[in-house]
Structure formats: structure tokens, C-alpha cells
Amino acid sequence: MGSYKKDQRRSFSSPEPSNSNKDEMGSYNYKMFNLFNRKFKITEAEPPKDVKQVFSKFSDGGSHMMADQLRRFLVLHQDELHCTLAEAKKIMEEVINRRHHLTRYSRHSLNLDDFFHFLLYDDLNGPITSQVHHDMTAPLSHYFIYTGHNSYLTGNQLSSDCSEVPIVKALQRGVRVIELDLWPGSSKDEILVLHGRTLTTPVPLIKCLKSIRDYAFSSSPYPVIITLEDHLRPDLQSKVAEMVTQTFGGMLYYPESDSLVQFPSPESLKHRIIISTKPPKEYLESNGIKQKGAFSPGGRNSSEEDEEASGIPDHTAELEADDRSNSDQDDADLTDCDNKSGQLGAPAYKRLITIHAGKPKGQLKDALKVAVDKVRRLSLSEQELEKAATTNGTDVVRYLSNIPDDRCLKEVSIATVHVKIRSPVLIYAVDLPRFTQNNILRIYPKGTRITSSNYKPLVGWMHGAQMIAFNMQGYGKSLWLMHGMFRANGGCGYLKKPDFLMEKGPNNEVFDPKIKLAVTKTLKVKVYLGDGWRLDFSHTHFDSYSPPDFYTKVYIVGAPADAAKKKTKIIEDNWSPAWNQEFTFPLTVPELALLRIEVREYDMSEKDDFGGQTCLPVSDLRPGIRSVPLHDKKGEKLKNVRLLVGFQFV
């Protein structure tokens, strides 16, 4: 029972299976207060009623299912329309080989138990499409891209080690955008990767570059984008150009022209590495570039994110970040005192840049204006985006709090709201989707997330932002959503944006994320049962005195109108709980909806225990009865734990 909890819990991230208290009769013994034993019989998961009915239907009432009958089931019930007889035979042979290894050559059909176990094999009957199926020939700006933030950090943002290890892990998971912060080392030519002005220990740049080279395409053939936040002298910029060129060789792609009119496609950049960066503050300073607000207090040089981390209000940081970071030197206001080392170092470095940072001149609304002759990248903080998404009306007011109270105080009317502001910057929410149709918008975490936590990614996706930069080394529900989103399209790291984010109306209007939409699709989710915990965990992991009391929570995360939460009943004292409960979710934006599933173990006196989770893109869900594997809190797949779930679109 959930009221009796074990005294000392084992870490969920490192489960230790144990059968030491399992007796010969197939029961678990639980010792009560060191006085007497409680014995609980181990019950195996059994086929639900729906599974029995489906088996009977497609086996024509028989006790065995042949290959042609299995194919009919896969086509008609599981909606695998292109399944061939040969593929059905291969699946049948694999199931027989796993379950009847010694007699596999004499078996040519599946009985009910075999069929049930086939449904539970997630590698044969998984919940989502495992192949790349989106059109990959459109420009990069047409895709959501799996993006990391401070990819070199092993832990928190202030004192953790910098290493190539989290970069490798991110690439193996399918992340396609790796961020590196470059700083000069103590020796003349040394270049380090670290989070500036913190206690993080550095790692040599060359180590990171070699790791990217070796693991870039371990999980996906589509391009890896390296975003460089550099704080280097021009001579070290030249050194970076040399290191990048020598390390990546033919893998490195860069355009022949200084700026692109349109980004290349993921398909055309298969197995290529591209650079996105901008000149550092030091270079601008060395060339006498004069920009208002270009330096932080105390004369420290900073990038767009460092401004936030240093405690300076973010209201102007993002505006000026890309302003002072434009990769196109011709746009900068150079004086006559150009530095010769800058002239020598910049060209080789600049030549390698494929995705140039934008150059806002003044208000952010101006920065979002779409240029006809070039495409670029713009970075905004999560707060900046949140303001655009949550403010009522079509305009968003951005307060520049660092301007003195006696300057530019005036009144303006915004939509039907009459407000008093100081030096307002007006941002139209629809300007974000319009900007992202051709250009790239990157959103990054606020500087106060020192524990490497993350934010809500759906806000950015609803506005068309391609790069939602996340701390991949952290964990939490927001990261689970990120993992889930990019399980789509075969886990390749690039997702074609929904058509509604790319379309324009007859009057050049674009999608407005605030418009209330009609329901276009309804998803039915039936949670049948769960199994595998007793194989992955000690029999006292959840409860010292009895088997666990599991229940399942089912969420829809997406457009505000689609958000929903359901919960099954609690099944007491059972390692293989059967719920057989169905839930219905009407969806207005199914293209961006995520199905989040979490299993909990009920505890009357303490917080309910975590029993596993997963997040799945609704757009890639496969109809029918599916095996849904669960993951731990860090997103690592559990070896045996899975749910049997039915999906139906109506």
C-alpha cells in the first residue's frame, strides 16, 4: 500500500533490479517492521479485452494468426497502409525468435500470447514514425531546429566544469545546434571554451571541435550548426578560422557570397557543418566602432547573454546584442582608426559564416523588418518573447527601464488600452511569424537560470522561432517537452514548420498566435496497462512493505486552447497495473501538440513517487494499439518499463 514507504530510497536514475526476495512460488516477500512477512503473488500482464477482440477478428476466430492475417491487422487497424506481406512475415519471425527460440523453426504463426507480446515490443510496434518523412528541401528557416544552449557545460551555469562530453551527448541525442563561448587563454594563441565571468573551468576549443567532427552525424545526417559567442582579439579570430578549417575540412560549408538571399536546405547540407556567429565586442572596440550602449558598466565586454547574466536588466540587452554583433562589417560604422590586425584577422573568420547575426538599429520592431536582399539570425531572451506572447492587443510595449525617469515620458494609445510609458518600443506579435518565414529567430534562457533549468518552448514554436536554445544538461518537464518534440521526423533534429506559419494571406497577413481557432482534430488515448518495473527496480524501490500503487497522468501541451490533463485510477499493490481507461482531447493546433505521459506511484503520506515519463509529438503518433516506452527524469530510456496505449484520431 502507498501509505507504507521505504526508509531509504534508491536513486531512480540508476535502478538496481533484485529478485532476492522472490520465492519459488512466484511471490514477493515484504518484511513488516522486522516482525513478520507479507507475501504478494506476482501477476503477469494479461491481454486486455480490446487485444483479445482484435486478435479474434483478424485471426478469423482461430487460435493462431498467420502472416497474411497479421498484415491485415497492421494495415486496417494500425493504419500501416504500406505494410507488405514480406514485412509482416519478418515481424512474425522476429516475435517467434524472441519468444520461442528453441522451437522457432517449427512455428509459423502467432498465438494470442505471442500477439500480445508483439504489441508490447516498442521496437516493432512503437508509438511514432521512426523514419524521416518531412520535406527536407526547403530553406533552413522553414524548420524547427534542435538547439542547445551553452552546450559545453556539464552542470550549472556558474561553477560546473566545461567539457566536450555534454557536446557529444547532445549530438548523440540528435541536437543540431551547438553553442560555444570562446575566450582567450593565458598563453598567446590559446583559445578556451567557458562561460565567461563565472567559476566554470575551461576546456580547449580544439577538443570541442574534434568532438563535434567525430560525433556530428552519429544520430542524424542533417547539418550541425555551431553558434560561436566569441570574445576574441582579431588575431585569435583568425586562429579560430584556421582551427575550424583544418578540423572539419570538407565537412565545413560556407557560402561564396558575403550574405545569403535564402538559406540552403537541410537536404543540401547533409553531413555538413556550418557556422553562425558575429564579431566580438573586442573587435568592434579595436576598430573604433561607436554604438550607443555597446559596453556594459565597468567597461566589460559582453555578448547578448552575458549582459543578462551580469545582472543588467535585459530590456535593452537583446536589442543591442545583435546590433553590436552584426557579422557584416560593411554595416558597422567604422572610423578612420581601423586596426590593422582586425583587417587581417576578420576576413578569414568572416568568410566561414553561413548564418549571420542580425543588426537591429534602434527599436526591436525595426529589427524584425524583413530585408529583401539577405537573410539573417536574430536572438531574443525568453522574457522578450514572453512579453510579445502575453500582452493583449496587437502591440507589445517594451520598457527601457535603464532610461532615467525624466526622459521621454509620454502617453500613447495601444489598441484600446491607454498606457503611460517611457520610450516605448512597439512590437507587433505577428511580426515574429513574418520574420521567421525567411529569417532565423533564436530564443535563449534568461540569465537567472543558474541551475541550467529551462523555459516553456511552445511559446517560441507558436511564433515560428526556429532555435529554442535549451540547457540539455539539465532536466525537468520543459526539457521533456523538447525531447518529445524532436522525436518527430525520425529524430533527425529538423522539423518542417506547419504550413500555417509559412503562409501569407491576400493582404500579406500572416498567422496570429492569439487568434482563437476551431477544433480540427480529436485524439483519443486509451491507457491499457503498464509493465516492466519489477525488472528494472528493486522490489522495495517504491514501497518497503508492498508492491506499488501506480496511476498514469496524461497531458496535452500545445496551444493554450488545447492544454489538458487527465488521470487514471490508482491500481493498488500491482507491478503490472491494468487501467483500461480512455481519454478524449480536442485539438485546435494538432501540428504543435505534445502528448505527455507520466506514471506516478501513490503515497498517502509523502510526495508520490516518479515511475517514468515520456513525451510524444501528436503529429507523428501512429494510430492503433502501441507500446510506449518510458524514460527516467533525465530523459534516458528505461530498459523494460512501457505502457500499452491505444491511439485514435477522429
Side-chain angles (χ1 to χ4, degrees):
M1 295 293 292
S3 58
Y4 300 104
K5 304 311 294 182
K6 66 181 184 179
D7 299 324
Q8 191 171 7
R9 301 190 182 281
R10 201 182 307 276
S11 169
F12 191 86
S13 60
S14 55
E16 181 181 332
S18 171
N19 293 316
S20 59
N21 287 276
K22 179 181 175 182
D23 64 21
E24 296 179 358
M25 302 300 292
S27 300
Y28 274 132
N29 293 321
Y30 291 84
K31 202 169 187 66
M32 294 291 293
F33 311 115
N34 292 318
L35 296 176
F36 58 89
N37 289 333
R38 301 178 75 198
K39 183 176 288 188
F40 290 87
K41 184 179 179 180
I42 298 174
T43 57
E44 298 289 341
E46 295 184 354
K49 180 181 178 181
D50 286 1
V51 171
K52 293 177 181 178
Q53 290 178 343
V54 165
F55 180 82
S56 178
K57 175 182 177 180
F58 287 94
S59 65
D60 299 320
S63 60
H64 286 77
M65 181 180 286
M66 306 302 291
D68 61 324
Q69 295 171 324
L70 177 61
R71 177 184 174 274
R72 278 202 310 126
F73 162 75
L74 294 172
V75 171
L76 298 178
H77 193 275
Q78 304 290 86
D79 202 35
E80 298 180 28
L81 304 179
H82 302 291
C83 180
T84 65
L85 181 59
E87 290 170 336
K89 286 181 178 179
K90 188 175 180 181
I91 291 172
M92 182 172 286
E93 289 171 0
E94 181 62 28
V95 173
I96 291 172
N97 185 52
R98 295 183 191 184
R99 294 195 31 82
H100 309 283
H101 182 69
L102 297 179
T103 59
R104 63 187 184 277
Y105 296 114
S106 61
R107 293 177 179 267
H108 305 287
S109 61
L110 302 179
N111 60 29
L112 174 60
D113 203 39
D114 296 331
F115 179 71
F116 174 50
H117 277 80
F118 154 65
L119 293 177
L120 282 171
Y121 291 143
D122 63 88
D123 59 329
L124 300 179
N125 185 45
I128 59 175
T129 306
S130 60
Q131 304 297 320
V132 175
H133 57 95
H134 293 182
D135 173 18
M136 303 301 286
T137 61
L140 289 174
S141 57
H142 290 220
Y143 299 85
F144 297 128
I145 309 173
Y146 207 174
T147 302
H149 172 258
N150 290 351
S151 306
Y152 49 87
L153 287 179
T154 57
N156 68 65
Q157 302 287 309
L158 293 181
S159 60
S160 64
D161 292 335
C162 300
S163 169
E164 75 281 5
V165 173
I167 295 173
V168 171
K169 288 182 178 179
L171 292 170
Q172 290 175 330
R173 189 179 282 277
V175 173
R176 298 291 85 192
V177 182
I178 299 296
E179 182 185 25
L180 303 177
D181 286 77
L182 309 184
W183 293 82
S186 55
S187 62
K188 181 181 178 182
D189 294 331
E190 187 179 30
I191 302 171
L192 301 176
V193 174
L194 73 152
H195 197 196
R197 296 188 297 279
T198 67
L199 299 177
T200 56
T201 57
V203 60
L205 171 61
I206 190 63
K207 248 188 177 182
C208 298
L209 295 180
K210 287 181 177 179
S211 295
I212 294 172
R213 177 196 64 193
D214 295 341
Y215 292 91
F217 308 108
S218 58
S219 65
S220 170
Y222 293 100
V224 167
I225 302 169
I226 304 176
T227 59
L228 300 178
E229 292 289 339
D230 70 78
H231 308 259
L232 304 174
R233 304 184 306 271
D235 60 314
L236 289 182
Q237 282 189 343
S238 184
K239 179 69 174 177
V240 170
E242 180 183 334
M243 293 169 65
V244 166
T245 303
Q246 290 181 355
T247 303
F248 297 136
M251 299 168 70
L252 185 65
Y253 170 87
Y254 50 88
E256 295 181 2
S257 60
D258 285 344
S259 60
L260 296 171
V261 177
Q262 178 178 276
F263 289 119
S265 70
E267 186 67 30
S268 68
L269 293 173
K270 269 187 171 181
H271 300 288
R272 304 298 290 271
I273 294 173
I274 62 179
I275 304 297
S276 176
T277 188
K278 55 191 181 293
K281 175 67 68 60
E282 289 84 344
Y283 175 64
L284 297 180
E285 183 181 20
S286 70
N287 283 278
I289 298 174
K290 297 179 180 179
Q291 296 189 34
K292 183 179 179 180
F295 300 96
S296 58
R300 296 186 306 177
N301 299 314
S302 61
S303 69
E304 56 196 18
E305 298 176 32
D306 297 327
E307 191 103 30
E308 242 188 82
S310 63
I312 301 170
D314 79 306
H315 304 297
T316 56
E318 298 81 40
L319 244 176
E320 296 171 352
D322 279 331
D323 191 15
R324 62 173 175 268
S325 65
N326 184 16
S327 296
D328 188 349
Q329 310 298 330
D330 296 334
D331 288 341
D333 183 18
L334 300 181
T335 68
D336 294 332
C337 56
D338 289 346
N339 184 293
K340 290 186 178 180
S341 65
Q343 292 176 334
L344 294 174
Y349 188 73
K350 177 184 174 183
R351 183 173 59 91
L352 302 182
I353 301 171
T354 297
I355 302 177
H356 286 228
K359 187 182 189 320
K361 297 180 180 179
Q363 297 182 349
L364 183 55
K365 179 173 174 57
D366 296 328
L368 292 173
K369 290 181 178 178
V370 178
V372 179
D373 57 343
K374 64 179 179 180
V375 289
R376 54 199 169 90
R377 172 179 68 82
L378 184 67
S379 291
L380 299 177
S381 71
E382 61 175 283
Q383 300 106 309
E384 203 68 56
L385 182 69
E386 192 72 28
K387 290 173 187 177
T390 58
T391 302
N392 292 324
T394 57
D395 291 312
V396 177
V397 178
R398 191 163 179 265
Y399 296 88
L400 305 186
S401 60
N402 62 328
I403 297 179
D405 291 342
D406 58 350
R407 291 183 55 196
C408 305
L409 195 63
K410 56 186 177 181
E411 292 187 353
V412 295
S413 180
I414 300 178
T416 59
V417 184
H418 199 62
V419 296
K420 182 176 287 188
I421 64 173
R422 63 173 74 96
S423 292
V425 177
L426 302 180
I427 310 169
Y428 292 90
V430 293
D431 285 347
L432 293 171
R434 179 175 286 111
F435 178 82
T436 59
Q437 289 185 343
N438 296 305
N439 300 280
I440 291 177
L441 181 62
R442 172 179 172 268
I443 310 299
Y444 60 88
K446 59 186 178 183
T448 54
R449 294 189 180 277
I450 59 175
T451 60
S452 294
S453 62
N454 288 296
Y455 50 101
K456 297 177 181 179
L458 268 298
V459 178
W461 290 328
M462 284 290 291
H463 288 77
Q466 295 89 344
M467 295 182 177
I468 307 296
F470 258 40
N471 294 308
M472 297 297 171
Q473 76 277 21
Y475 59 90
K477 294 175 183 177
S478 291
L479 189 56
W480 298 349
L481 298 179
M482 181 65 70
H483 290 163
M485 182 70 163
F486 284 96
R487 288 190 176 109
N489 199 27
C492 75
Y494 285 84
L495 309 180
K496 188 78 160 54
K497 293 201 288 186
D499 290 341
F500 65 78
L501 284 172
M502 302 305 301
E503 293 169 345
K504 290 182 180 178
N507 298 316
N508 204 37
E509 64 269 22
V510 296
F511 173 70
D512 185 349
K514 289 186 173 295
I515 291 179
K516 188 174 182 180
L517 302 172
V519 172
T520 60
K521 189 177 289 187
T522 298
L523 171 66
K524 289 187 176 182
V525 178
K526 189 166 187 178
V527 184
Y528 289 107
L529 55 84
D531 197 23
W533 287 280
R534 65 186 177 86
L535 299 177
D536 286 351
F537 301 98
S538 161
H539 80 295
T540 58
H541 178 87
F542 297 102
D543 195 321
S544 294
Y545 307 111
S546 68
D549 310 324
F550 288 125
Y551 65 92
T552 298
K553 296 193 288 186
V554 185
Y555 303 81
I556 288 292
V557 183
D562 296 342
K565 174 185 175 182
K566 309 286 185 178
K567 186 172 75 171
T568 69
K569 59 191 175 186
I570 299 169
I571 304 297
E572 295 186 349
D573 300 334
N574 201 321
W575 283 97
S576 300
W579 297 284
N580 295 299
Q581 287 182 260
E582 186 174 74
F583 308 108
T584 300
F585 301 100
L587 303 173
T588 62
V589 189
E591 299 92 335
L592 295 180
L594 296 170
L595 176 69
R596 192 171 81 77
I597 300 174
E598 185 175 347
V599 174
R600 288 275 173 179
E601 199 273 333
Y602 174 70
D603 183 357
M604 186 181 297
S605 59
E606 301 177 19
K607 183 178 179 181
D608 292 353
D609 288 325
F610 176 79
Q613 61 83 23
T614 192
C615 187
L616 302 169
V618 169
S619 61
D620 270 35
L621 283 178
R622 301 202 293 172
I625 302 172
R626 301 292 178 179
S627 176
V628 178
L630 297 186
H631 303 74
D632 65 16
K633 288 184 176 180
K634 292 186 177 181
E636 299 298 326
K637 183 180 174 183
L638 296 168
K639 187 175 181 181
N640 294 288
V641 180
R642 71 273 202 201
L643 303 178
L644 190 67
V645 183
F647 301 114
Q648 182 184 4
F649 290 102
V650 294

